[in-house]
Amino acid sequence: MWMKTGGWKVNSMDWEKATRLAYAIGRSRLAEQRMDFFRAAADYARLRSEWQLAAPEGKAAMNSTRTLAHDTFISTCDTMAQVMGEKGEDASWRADLGNDRKELGDFACYVNLMLGLAAR
């Protein structure tokens, strides 16, 4: 994915990385935490899409809600990894995911895409 940040650069979150990370989470035996993770990703991705489609005044009104959903998704990632580690599951996906907010948000959108495709 290309994005402009003063110059053009390649975003490191791509389909391959997102699917690898989502697969690591999806194979966890922690059903409740896994569902919380998927719901948080879908909630944030929905708000991000709505924000993109909104008029400027609508975007301003949505900013705090979108930020809260983003923070919730990040917290859910952290909790998922923590509990996986406590239960002896491989949580190395969390370190690979990193802490860049844009990357984390992109990951939520990829997860939402995977959920949508799986639902057909």
Side-chain angles (χ1 to χ4, degrees):
M1 174 183 292
W2 293 92
M3 58 187 237
K4 188 160 184 156
T5 56
W8 291 97
K9 78 169 200 152
V10 176
N11 186 346
S12 65
M13 181 57 64
D14 58 20
W15 177 254
E16 290 79 21
K17 182 175 181 178
T19 54
R20 180 174 38 81
L21 296 173
Y23 178 75
I25 296 162
R27 68 177 178 236
S28 171
R29 295 178 311 273
L30 304 169
E32 183 179 336
Q33 290 84 1
R34 196 175 57 236
M35 292 310 293
D36 288 346
F37 167 82
F38 288 129
R39 282 189 186 98
D43 288 346
Y44 174 69
R46 179 185 49 78
L47 286 169
R48 191 170 175 183
S49 294
E50 287 177 12
W51 186 88
Q52 178 64 24
L53 298 171
E57 57 277 0
K59 287 180 178 182
M62 294 173 68
N63 268 339
S64 63
T65 302
R66 186 174 57 101
T67 299
L68 178 60
H70 196 183
D71 292 344
T72 299
F73 174 69
I74 294 168
S75 177
T76 303
C77 288
D78 294 340
T79 300
M80 184 76 201
Q82 178 183 354
V83 176
M84 285 175 75
E86 289 170 358
K87 299 294 182 180
E89 295 185 4
D90 180 9
S92 62
W93 61 268
R94 184 62 187 93
D96 193 21
L97 179 56
N99 293 308
D100 181 90
R101 286 184 65 84
K102 289 181 182 181
E103 295 284 317
L104 288 157
D106 291 351
F107 179 52
C109 291
Y110 277 115
V111 168
N112 189 57
L113 170 62
M114 290 175 222
L115 290 170
L117 292 174
R120 59 183 168 159

